[in-house]
Amino acid sequence: MTPVTPVADAVPGLDTDALLDDPDIRIIVCCGSGGVGKTTTAAALGVRAAERGRKVVVLTIDPARRLAQSMGIDQLDNIPRRVEGIEGDGELHAMMLDMKRTFDETVEAHADAERARAILENPFYQSLSAGFAGTQEYMAMEKLGQLRARDEWDLIIVDTPPSRSALDFLDAPKRLGSFLDGTFIRLLMAPAKMGGRAGMKFLNVGMSMMTGTLGKLLGGQFLRDVQTFVAAMDTMFGGFRTRADATYKLLQAPGTAFLVVATPERDALREAAYFVERLAAEDMPLAGLVLNRVHGSEASRLSAERALAAAENLEETRIVDQTAGKAALCDPAVTSPEASEPPLSPEPEPDPTSEPSSGPAPESAPTSADVRESERDPAPAPDHAPENAPAVAPAVPVVPVTPVVPVEELTAGLLRLHAERMQVVAREQHTRDRFAALHPEVPVTEVAALPGDVHDLVGLRTIGDRLATGSGSAPAESA
């Protein structure tokens, strides 16, 4: 009979070191749903790539600023900052996307000084650059394009925004590019050409269809702000659309690699599967799946069922508690505690032929019962001790003794903890197998669950090691 190969064993492994060492790979995009460890993964890959000789910049959009803390940087901003403490010939820089500042830099780079100042001071532009839906994702793409155009780093690692859906990162360029195309310009210019209330009514209808944010600003002053904005930005709208399309093609290029990050939970892997399918539909290169926070056990041979059964036996004083096994349950001489104690020596019977002694009876030796009785009820001390009586040592204070938990109880508790751990392992394995059955072609690397957050370069190196090996036990206080 041919043995059945487990699904997890048939999944190809992801070689992250080969990916980082490939000089043709210039961009790595870490994507996935929120809370799966994208930022930590991006930072760990950056540290490992730099220490393997590459000049790397990590672009993060994480508002928690954990990346700066783990890299020993006081703060991250829109300018790449050099990370100290990297071991090796490479370099590591890190930066955090400032959405509005990136928008401002784009305006300053594609408009003359006077027009740029008019745009940056325009209230309508300030509202658009700070709060329009999709602006953060679009500006992340814009910054990626800027970094790639500078050709200063040979590897750019992008941590995608923590949006509701990981697909927003791919949709944003097209969505914002369509918003800033010629149709939008004609819509904004129409009220100025029509004039009067009819123009304002047309503006109200059109803008309410475009975005709720603009609807809050309706009024005469708003109309003048829009006209000023459109006049200043007229030559730039086409540039936004062109750059969005160029960045989208950059993501499709062979020099780009996508890493989908997930945890072995049903919702996270469902989102990962959807993203894998979307990348394939968009012809974007997928390198593989990073599975974070995977649980395991060094005692996996002991199943959850056997651990629970052993714990119940210990707690209920059943067969496993008996030294003699099944015989102990049937033989009272074995199970009785008195049976194991040696019998007391019998007292000699009196000789009937001997005559009773007329002298005083010898004082019998104290028995163990007498000793116990004297210890429990000592004789009361006299009220007045004799003058030459030796001094009595002061009484030693009684120290309360902490009750000792029986070994059986501790063992039963550990067995139950192990059973819970094995149940988690089984559930995660079942979820991974379902993903592998749907996408057997996707390489996977697993990162063991660590006891805490990464807080320094040592922790990032530990994550990098786990990414490279796909296994390994977590250190006690590494991340």
Side-chain angles (χ1 to χ4, degrees):
M1 182 176 183
T2 305
V4 179
T5 303
V7 178
D9 296 341
V11 176
L14 172 62
D15 190 346
T16 56
D17 281 349
L19 182 68
L20 298 176
D21 294 341
D22 188 350
D24 294 330
I25 298 297
R26 304 293 302 275
I27 298 174
I28 295 178
V29 181
C30 297
C31 52
S33 56
V36 296
K38 295 193 302 291
T39 300
T40 302
T41 300
L45 289 172
V47 171
R48 191 168 184 85
E51 295 188 339
R52 295 176 71 87
R54 303 197 70 175
K55 190 174 182 180
V56 188
V57 60
V58 177
L59 170 62
T60 182
I61 306 96
D62 182 19
R65 288 173 170 77
R66 290 184 290 107
L67 180 63
Q69 298 172 1
S70 62
M71 292 185 173
I73 302 176
D74 293 337
Q75 63 178 4
L76 290 180
D77 51 23
N78 222 39
I79 301 175
R81 305 287 181 181
R82 177 78 177 266
V83 178
E84 302 297 335
I86 295 299
E87 302 173 355
D89 299 331
E91 294 181 11
L92 177 61
H93 297 75
M95 62 180 299
M96 179 178 292
L97 177 71
D98 185 329
M99 180 182 65
K100 189 178 187 312
R101 182 56 195 158
T102 301
F103 211 148
D104 294 347
E105 291 175 352
T106 303
V107 171
E108 293 169 349
H110 297 87
D112 56 71
E114 183 178 355
R115 179 170 294 186
R117 184 174 62 256
I119 295 173
L120 298 179
E121 295 176 354
N122 186 276
F124 175 70
Y125 165 78
Q126 294 174 359
S127 175
L128 175 67
S129 62
F132 186 76
T135 303
Q136 186 183 48
E137 287 82 2
Y138 176 85
M139 287 304 147
M141 304 284 271
E142 184 82 26
K143 178 57 69 175
L144 173 60
Q146 293 176 8
L147 294 173
R148 185 66 180 86
R150 290 169 60 177
D151 203 25
E152 183 177 350
W153 297 274
D154 53 34
L155 180 61
I156 303 170
I157 300 178
V158 182
D159 166 34
T160 54
S163 53
R164 180 182 58 84
S165 173
L167 301 178
D168 290 345
F169 184 71
L170 294 178
D171 293 334
K174 289 183 177 180
R175 185 169 60 248
L176 194 59
S178 299
F179 181 72
L180 298 175
D181 63 4
T183 303
F184 176 63
I185 296 177
R186 290 193 298 271
L187 177 63
L188 292 179
M189 292 300 293
K193 295 179 180 179
M194 296 176 63
R197 294 183 177 179
M200 181 61 70
K201 181 178 180 181
F202 177 82
L203 179 65
N204 286 343
V205 174
M207 289 294 93
S208 62
M209 295 173 61
M210 297 298 292
T211 172
T213 303
L214 300 181
K216 298 178 181 179
L217 304 176
L218 290 177
Q221 183 61 44
F222 167 70
L223 180 58
R224 288 189 292 272
D225 292 339
V226 169
Q227 292 172 340
T228 304
F229 171 78
V230 171
M233 293 282 289
D234 191 14
T235 59
M236 293 188 59
F237 284 119
F240 277 108
R241 183 62 179 267
T242 301
R243 287 191 301 278
D245 293 341
T247 305
Y248 202 77
K249 292 179 180 179
L250 181 64
L251 294 176
Q252 294 175 319
T256 299
F258 279 83
L259 286 177
V260 178
V261 184
T263 54
E265 300 295 335
R266 184 177 59 181
D267 293 341
L269 278 177
R270 182 188 296 116
E271 185 82 5
Y274 186 37
F275 201 89
V276 166
E277 295 168 1
R278 173 66 184 277
L279 289 175
E282 298 289 339
D283 295 325
M284 293 188 174
L286 172 65
L289 171 71
V290 174
L291 206 56
N292 274 332
R293 302 169 195 157
V294 177
H295 294 87
S297 174
E298 297 294 336
S300 58
R301 290 179 296 177
L302 179 60
S303 66
E305 293 77 10
R306 293 180 60 189
L308 287 175
E312 292 175 358
N313 285 336
L314 285 173
E315 292 171 342
E316 297 177 10
T317 317
R318 295 192 339 201
I319 295 176
V320 297
D321 294 302
Q322 308 301 330
T323 305
K326 292 183 178 180
L329 299 178
C330 305
D331 188 357
V334 177
T335 57
S336 175
E338 292 80 9
S340 61
E341 297 181 2
L344 298 177
S345 299
E347 297 181 359
E349 297 181 0
D351 188 356
T353 60
S354 61
E355 296 181 2
S357 175
S358 58
E363 185 177 351
S364 60
T367 64
S368 58
D370 297 332
V371 174
R372 288 196 297 267
E373 185 67 23
S374 62
E375 291 176 351
R376 183 167 59 251
D377 297 320
D383 294 338
H384 300 286
E387 294 181 358
N388 297 329
V392 180
V396 179
V398 178
V399 179
V401 179
T402 304
V404 179
V405 180
V407 176
E408 292 81 2
E409 185 176 342
L410 286 176
T411 306
L414 291 175
L415 286 170
R416 291 189 178 278
L417 286 177
H418 174 76
E420 293 177 3
R421 181 64 172 257
M422 294 305 299
Q423 289 170 351
V424 171
V425 171
R427 183 176 68 248
E428 291 181 354
Q429 185 62 56
H430 175 69
T431 306
R432 297 199 299 272
D433 287 345
R434 290 182 59 186
F435 176 88
L438 292 173
H439 301 283
E441 76 287 353
V442 178
V444 179
T445 185
E446 298 183 356
V447 179
L450 301 182
D453 290 335
V454 172
H455 51 77
D456 53 19
L457 286 177
V458 176
L460 291 177
R461 290 191 187 100
T462 301
I463 297 293
D465 292 340
R466 301 297 182 262
L467 286 167
T469 60
S471 61
S473 59
E477 295 293 337
S478 63

